[in-house]
């Protein structure tokens, strides 16, 4: 039976888990605390993709402190894995350490890694599951959605002026940045967490973005895929997404355009760009089908950095899971273009954010929240 003390220790494990966000994806962020009596013997979290998991790091911390974990209780935010992948199975490490009791926040929803609970029980270890489950699943919402549906967790992000404009008319002379430097640094941290960044061809033509992760003094060994939605193959052949090979690029177009524009398709392929045909939806690319195909490629988190038309279409089709809005403290007035407020008047239904959080980046405000609850397992 879990106690108030158990809850406090699990919340500590969740705090450790958060330290891995931005470095472990597409793996889940996991934290672990090992306790005997009133003494914390060791703590750990999954620090980097492909490296040791939280349980192994916590056991190593016990050893480094000169503490014996035998007979202790382990609190871990996700079911210990039972398979050998990039690292050995954590369940076996827990068994070998002679842990007496394991308190787990949430089960692992994947077929490959799940099974650790049963493995621990068969070894005679007392196992409790479900403590702080909601917090644990929200922490790894993209991981749970992808495991249960095969679809990416879709984060829609935009920056706007106080009066709702996403761009300047005179961007050529004044620059097109709406948000400040601190907000842009936060966006690059968000990009690092994702496996792909999606934009529309109008944004490519207007802004010529690179859509790369640029974090000072930090090497990016797994750059996110760059995806352009372009139903008519209007992408300029000299744009950054074609000419700058810092990350792979896919152009999503309609199947009929791909069949009709064979020369454009071949030119893109010759430049190292993949062309991904999808069915048409109201003369545009079928965004739902595009998400299915990206999910099949292992894209667990997809960041949308696009104009208001594409953003509104994703919201209208209920394809977005999370929203981040960076609001700068100035108005653009007549110098503003790409109005979020005007375009989003076409939303068919009211969109309400859940678990809203507000952050500040110097003078900017960032509003973020969920649009959808995390999908539950199919009955």
């Amino acid at each position: 039976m879990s106690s108030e003390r158990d809850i406090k220790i699990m919340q500590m494990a969740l705090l450790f888990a958060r330290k891995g966000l931005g470095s472990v994806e597409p793996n889940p962020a996991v934290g672990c605390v090992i306790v005997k009596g009133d003494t914390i013997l060791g703590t750990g979290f999954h620090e980097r993709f492909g490296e040791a998991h939280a349980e192994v790091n916590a056991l190593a911390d016990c050893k480094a402190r000169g503490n014996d974990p035998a007979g202790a209780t382990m609190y871990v935010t996700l079911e210990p894995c039972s398979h050998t992948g990039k690292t050995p199975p954590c369940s076996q490490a827990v068994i070998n350490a002679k842990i007496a009791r394991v308190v787990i926040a949430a089960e692992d929803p994947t077929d490959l890694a799940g099974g650790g609970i049963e493995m621990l029980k068969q070894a005679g270890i007392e196992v409790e599951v479900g403590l702080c489950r909601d917090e644990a699943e929200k922490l790894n919402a993209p991981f749970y959605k992808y495991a249960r549906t095969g679809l990416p967790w879709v984060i829609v992000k935009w920056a706007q002026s106080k009066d709702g404009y996403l761009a300047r008319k005179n961007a050529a002379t004044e620059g097109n940045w709406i948000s400040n430097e601190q907000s842009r640094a936060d966006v690059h941290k968000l990009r690092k967490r994702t496996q792909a960044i999606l934009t529309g061809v109008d944004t490519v033509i207007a802004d010529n973005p690179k859509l790369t992760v640029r974090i000072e003094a930090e090497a990016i060994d797994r750059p996110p895929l760059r995806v352009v939605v372009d139903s008519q193959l209007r992408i300029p052949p000299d744009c950054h997404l074609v000419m700058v090979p810092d990350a792979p690029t896919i152009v999503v177009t309609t199947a009929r355009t791909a069949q009709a524009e064979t020369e454009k398709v071949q030119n893109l392929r010759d430049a190292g760009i993949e062309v991904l045909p999808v069915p048409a939806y109201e003369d545009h690319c079928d965004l739902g089908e595009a998400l299915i195909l990206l999910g099949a490629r292992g894209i667990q988190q997809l960041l949308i950095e696009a104009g208001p038309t594409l953003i509104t279409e994703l919201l209208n089709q209920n394809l977005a899971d999370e929203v981040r809005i960076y609001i700068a403290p100035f108005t653009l007035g007549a110098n503003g273009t790409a109005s979020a407020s005007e375009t989003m008047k076409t939303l068919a239904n009211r969109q309400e954010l859940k678990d809203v959080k507000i952050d500040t980046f110097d003078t900017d405000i960032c509003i973020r929240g969920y649009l959808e609850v995390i999908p539950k397992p199919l009955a």
Side-chain angles (χ1 to χ4, degrees):
M1 178 72 69
S2 297
S3 64
E4 184 175 339
R5 172 177 172 276
D6 289 325
I7 294 173
K8 288 182 179 179
I9 299 172
M10 184 61 79
Q11 288 173 340
M12 183 189 302
L14 287 164
L15 288 175
F16 275 103
R18 289 185 180 279
K19 293 183 178 183
L21 293 174
S23 298
V24 302
E25 291 82 4
N27 283 357
V30 183
C32 181
V33 178
I34 300 173
V35 176
K36 184 182 289 185
D38 294 327
T39 303
I40 295 177
L41 303 183
T43 62
F45 64 98
H46 184 25
E47 298 180 14
R48 189 176 179 85
F49 177 79
E51 296 183 1
H53 291 179
E55 302 93 321
V56 172
N57 284 334
L59 290 169
D61 189 42
C62 288
K63 183 177 180 180
R65 298 188 192 193
N67 295 326
D68 182 2
T73 297
M74 173 181 282
Y75 297 81
V76 62
T77 59
L78 182 71
E79 175 182 1
C81 65
S82 61
H83 78 297
T84 299
K86 292 183 180 294
T87 61
C90 293
S91 295
Q92 190 59 55
V94 174
I95 294 167
N96 293 345
K98 296 182 171 55
I99 295 288
R101 174 177 175 241
V102 179
V103 182
I104 300 167
E107 297 89 346
D108 190 315
T110 63
D111 293 334
L112 181 62
I117 290 172
E118 187 59 33
M119 189 173 173
L120 295 175
K121 288 180 177 179
Q122 289 181 1
I125 295 175
E126 179 185 350
V127 179
E128 297 177 28
V129 185
L131 184 66
C132 301
R133 181 192 301 277
D134 287 346
E135 295 96 319
E137 292 202 2
K138 285 177 183 177
L139 176 68
N140 288 305
F143 171 73
Y144 278 93
K145 179 189 177 182
Y146 184 76
R148 291 169 177 168
T149 68
L151 294 173
W153 179 266
V154 178
I155 307 166
V156 174
K157 162 262 166 187
W158 72 87
Q160 66 175 62
S161 62
K162 187 177 171 183
D163 53 345
Y165 290 105
L166 276 63
R168 306 172 191 266
K169 289 180 181 176
N170 57 351
T173 57
E174 293 188 12
N176 202 31
W177 295 119
I178 299 294
S179 56
N180 62 28
E181 186 175 346
Q182 290 88 335
S183 292
R184 297 198 297 273
D186 186 63
V187 170
H188 281 279
K189 291 179 182 178
L190 181 59
R191 286 181 177 182
K192 185 185 175 189
R193 289 174 55 178
T194 66
Q195 291 77 58
I197 306 168
L198 182 146
T199 193
V201 69
D202 288 337
T203 297
V204 175
I205 293 170
D207 298 341
N208 194 19
K210 293 181 180 178
L211 299 184
T212 53
V213 181
R214 299 183 295 279
I215 300 176
E216 189 175 349
E218 188 169 337
I220 307 301
D221 52 1
R222 293 180 296 126
L225 177 71
R226 303 177 296 189
V227 183
V228 182
V229 177
D230 183 4
S231 61
Q232 299 300 318
L233 288 182
R234 295 186 292 125
I235 185 169
D238 58 349
C239 71
H240 285 139
L241 298 186
V242 175
M243 300 298 292
V244 179
D246 292 346
T249 300
I250 289 180
V251 174
V252 177
T253 192
T254 64
R256 64 183 175 219
T257 296
Q259 292 172 356
E261 301 286 355
T262 55
E263 184 176 352
K264 287 183 179 180
V265 170
Q266 190 58 50
N267 288 340
L268 286 170
R269 288 175 175 162
D270 289 345
I273 308 301
E274 181 180 352
V275 177
L276 181 64
V278 297
Y281 176 81
E282 296 182 354
D283 292 327
H284 300 290
C285 295
D286 188 326
L287 297 175
E289 182 65 23
L291 293 184
I292 291 172
L293 294 176
L294 290 173
R297 292 167 178 258
I299 304 301
Q300 182 193 99
Q301 294 193 57
L302 175 66
L303 177 60
I304 309 299
E305 297 196 35
T309 301
L310 182 54
I311 288 172
T312 301
E313 191 57 38
L314 285 160
L315 295 173
N316 257 332
Q317 294 185 41
N318 296 316
L319 297 176
D321 300 286
E322 182 179 345
V323 169
R324 292 201 183 196
I325 310 167
Y326 296 83
I327 304 174
F330 56 79
T331 59
L332 286 175
N335 188 34
T337 185
S339 170
S341 56
E342 286 300 317
T343 306
M344 291 183 186
K345 285 180 180 178
T346 63
L347 284 173
N349 299 299
R350 178 177 180 228
Q351 302 279 337
E352 182 175 349
L353 293 181
K354 305 174 180 68
D355 295 323
V356 175
K357 291 181 175 58
I358 299 176
D359 299 313
T360 57
F361 297 98
D362 194 11
T363 55
D364 287 358
I365 294 173
C366 177
I367 301 172
R368 55 191 174 100
Y370 294 156
L371 282 166
E372 298 291 341
V373 297
I374 304 165
K376 297 300 180 185
L378 298 175

